[in-house]
Amino acid sequence: PMPTASRPAPPPRRARTVLWALGLVVAACAPLPDPAAGPVKPLPNGGPKGMAPLSVPQLPGTGVVRPSDEAAQAFAIGFLDALQPRSVAERREYCGYFYTRSDGAIAATPPRPGTFATCDMPAPDPRLGVFASYHTHGAFGPGYDNEVPSVTDLLSDFDFGIDGYVSTPGGRVWHVDFGSRTTRQVCGLRCVTADPRFRPVGEGAIRTSYGLPGLARRASGF
């Protein structure tokens, strides 16, 4: 939260944290397994159709091609739609990474469970073809500004030089774009499974895209 002296504190922000210590990713009480280096599982039923990458650049330092935005977004929508019911029912965020396999197919690391408003992840290993993070914003909470990504969400991805995909309780999907340092709605309300308890709050003030300054102004109560 970013309260100011001249106005009431805004609703809490969803936060995604990447934990570091002595150059290694660690948890406060126990080591965090690195999902980017562990077992992986593609989206059930093979994922959305048309996932083959186009003629696009290789990921830096790897022999793996980066998928097109269209292919990545289609995969993200299908994957997050499948994950939303679990995230909503358990009232917790889930997070992980999207990567490209050696054959060019898009896959996802197993979802890591978080809390109602946070999800901690180890740092991605770029050698493994990670091109984006993903996370859900879980269940609807009237005291949370959870229909947009947070400044922390964007900065976490930018720090690692990757994109990100975020789903919201209302069923929106956002694409965090490292190249433009912005985030934009890939699709709007109920594009993916929404929380049945979701109630629109301040819909007119939600833009279709944001840069860091715009999100910071929103977080400070405009």
Side-chain angles (χ1 to χ4, degrees):
M2 301 174 64
T4 67
S6 59
R7 56 173 62 91
R13 302 292 295 176
R14 299 273 185 173
R16 180 162 52 92
T17 308
V18 180
L19 305 176
W20 290 88
L22 301 178
L24 299 175
V25 183
V26 298
C29 300
L32 286 172
D34 185 350
V40 296
K41 57 181 180 182
L43 186 68
N45 303 319
K49 301 297 183 182
M51 301 316 318
L54 305 177
S55 179
V56 290
Q58 291 185 338
L59 292 167
T62 74
V64 181
V65 296
R66 179 186 295 276
S68 67
D69 281 349
E70 293 78 10
Q73 289 169 13
F75 184 89
I77 290 171
F79 185 89
L80 290 168
D81 185 42
L83 183 56
Q84 282 279 102
R86 179 179 177 183
S87 179
V88 168
E90 295 181 7
R91 299 185 66 78
R92 69 170 71 235
E93 294 192 0
Y94 276 89
C95 55
Y97 293 105
F98 293 146
Y99 67 100
T100 46
R101 301 196 310 236
S102 58
D103 61 1
I106 301 174
T109 63
R112 289 176 60 87
T115 68
F116 182 77
T118 64
C119 197
D120 299 332
M121 294 194 293
D125 186 342
R127 295 171 300 175
L128 298 178
V130 171
F131 65 88
S133 71
Y134 71 81
H135 76 283
T136 66
H137 272 182
F140 174 66
Y144 287 80
D145 189 15
N146 48 16
E147 283 301 304
V148 300
S150 69
V151 169
T152 300
D153 291 340
L154 270 64
L155 289 177
S156 296
D157 291 328
F158 296 164
D159 283 348
F160 294 125
I162 60 175
D163 286 2
Y165 291 91
V166 184
S167 60
T168 73
R172 288 181 165 88
V173 174
W174 293 81
H175 174 206
V176 177
D177 188 338
F178 169 71
S180 65
R181 297 184 71 82
T182 62
T183 184
R184 68 177 181 84
Q185 285 190 59
V186 173
C187 53
L189 282 174
R190 298 179 177 82
C191 165
V192 296
T193 303
D195 185 344
R197 292 162 292 192
F198 170 76
R199 297 294 180 270
V201 177
E203 284 294 314
I206 297 178
R207 303 176 184 175
T208 56
S209 64
Y210 289 94
L212 283 169
L215 282 178
R217 286 192 296 270
R218 180 182 177 89
S220 64
F222 303 95

